[in-house]
Amino acid sequence: MRRLLAGLAAGTALLTTAACGSSGGSSSTSSSSGGTTTVKVGIIPIVDVAPLYLGQKEGFYSKRGLKLSMTLAQGGAAVVPGVTSGQFQFGFSNMTSLMIAQSNNVPVRAIANGVASTGVAGKDFGGLVVKKGRDITSAKQLEGKKVAVNTLKNINETAVRESVRKAGGDPGKVSFVELAFDQMPAALDKGQIDAAMAVEPALATMKLQGATEIASPLVDVAKNLTVAMYFTSTSYAQKNPDVVKKFQEATAESLAYADAHPDEVRQIVTTYTKTPADVLAAVTLPKWPADPNRSSIDTLEKLSEQDGLFKTAPDLDKLLP
């Protein structure tokens, strides 16, 4: 237990450093040197983004003249302003953050698929868990309870709300609190929260601590849900179509490689998170399909609108590739 928590504490330190702007003092715009263009990518330190690291390692980006410089953030909502301000050329964000941005006329465009749910309840890379020994066995019982999500009013809160609805409960009676994924295991273990909605590797960490999974919220939203995508600003896409095309092609190759090499995915995660080996062995990997599932995004959009996340509905035809 101490080793698990120590690993998570180290991960928190890594995240805090990155979230505070560890840009290495380099330029905020893409730069070219010797035929190679370096682009900054805003990401989250979770299993989802392993394909980028694998793709860089395998040379999928370099053979197209690209070098990725990754910067970590707490959630997709924090990555969006980084891309639109030019701090990053590309970013990884969940679909809800991108839809919220588009609905507010923020100039973003999704350009490549990111990650998808496995579509299998109880065997997904995202799960809703409670501490070992709690008498909570259903999402309905979260009424009046404190549930942690990494970002309020975003995809994981919407997903938990749907799990509560499907279990016959009232999501309006659930108290949501914002907490970084890697801080959730300790908070749940200490009883500071009643439940946590987490993705890997935080989910596996809590399960190894004895936590019980009571729902698979991403699966409850839609089977084979497109959870996140890579995106850029509309201005960058217009000014740098060749770079965007190269990024799309290299990312597609990276997604396919990750889907076919699960052991290499687990290994590469150790390079950007401080996840213990036994946790990595227990991690449930997501799916990395080549293309987004439009019908699942439509369903997520309707649930998000129901939860009041949009003032006006987003134009998905403008947002999606």
Side-chain angles (χ1 to χ4, degrees):
M1 179 71 71
R2 285 193 298 272
R3 185 159 63 83
L4 288 177
L5 295 179
L8 264 292
T12 300
L14 172 68
L15 174 60
T16 302
T17 300
C20 289
S22 59
S23 61
S26 56
S27 170
S28 62
T29 59
S30 56
S31 59
S32 298
S33 176
T36 298
T37 299
T38 299
V39 292
K40 286 189 174 183
V41 187
I43 57 172
I44 313 166
I46 52 180
V47 171
D48 308 31
V49 298
L52 284 195
Y53 288 90
L54 276 177
Q56 181 120 295
K57 178 184 176 184
E58 295 298 318
F60 302 151
Y61 292 92
S62 61
K63 74 180 182 182
R64 293 176 172 87
L66 295 182
K67 179 181 179 180
L68 306 184
S69 175
M70 262 80 84
T71 300
L72 306 180
Q74 179 169 320
V79 176
V80 171
V83 170
T84 55
S85 69
Q87 180 185 359
F88 312 130
Q89 282 71 59
F90 301 102
F92 174 87
S93 179
N94 68 73
M95 292 312 305
T96 300
S97 290
L98 292 176
M99 289 191 290
I100 290 173
Q102 207 288 325
S103 72
N104 289 322
N105 295 314
V106 177
V108 294
R109 181 183 301 170
I111 58 170
N113 204 22
V115 70
S117 162
T118 66
V120 182
K123 296 181 180 180
D124 194 26
F125 78 106
L128 181 61
V129 297
V130 297
K131 185 178 179 179
K132 179 182 180 181
R134 292 296 301 269
D135 58 354
I136 301 174
T137 58
S138 165
K140 181 182 187 301
Q141 294 172 281
L142 294 178
E143 292 179 351
K145 301 293 193 300
K146 188 181 294 185
V147 179
V149 292
N150 69 315
T151 307
L152 293 173
K153 300 297 181 183
N154 213 287
I155 187 169
N156 285 320
E157 180 176 329
T158 293
V160 172
R161 286 176 176 273
E162 183 64 2
S163 290
V164 173
R165 288 189 195 98
K166 287 192 170 182
D170 181 357
K173 295 180 180 179
V174 177
S175 176
F176 290 96
V177 296
E178 187 169 290
L179 198 62
F181 287 128
D182 59 357
Q183 295 174 10
M184 291 180 185
L188 188 69
D189 191 55
K190 294 176 182 177
Q192 297 169 344
I193 54 178
D194 297 296
M197 170 57 202
V199 296
E200 300 290 11
L203 179 59
T205 299
M206 289 186 283
K207 286 182 176 179
L208 288 174
Q209 290 176 187
T212 301
E213 185 170 350
I214 62 170
S216 298
L218 299 176
V219 179
D220 284 339
V221 169
K223 190 170 184 180
N224 305 319
L225 173 67
T226 295
V227 178
M229 294 184 69
Y230 293 97
F231 71 103
T232 188
S233 66
T234 53
S235 62
Y236 188 83
Q238 291 166 357
K239 295 175 182 177
N240 303 275
D242 291 342
V243 176
V244 171
K245 183 179 179 182
K246 291 175 181 177
F247 182 86
Q248 288 174 315
E249 292 174 349
T251 300
E253 190 171 2
S254 300
L255 293 172
Y257 188 88
D259 231 18
H261 298 82
D263 290 340
E264 291 185 44
V265 168
R266 296 179 197 278
Q267 178 58 36
I268 204 76
V269 171
T270 65
T271 66
Y272 63 94
T273 72
K274 302 295 183 181
T275 309
D278 52 350
V279 174
L280 277 175
V283 160
T284 298
L285 298 179
K287 296 295 184 182
W288 287 289
D291 301 308
N293 181 336
R294 175 61 187 262
S295 65
S296 75
I297 297 173
D298 288 338
T299 299
L300 179 62
E301 187 274 333
K302 290 180 175 63
L303 290 174
S304 301
E305 190 169 6
Q306 179 180 333
D307 289 337
L309 270 58
F310 312 129
K311 292 181 181 177
T312 57
D315 187 335
L316 296 183
D317 291 331
K318 288 184 178 180
L319 174 63
L320 299 175

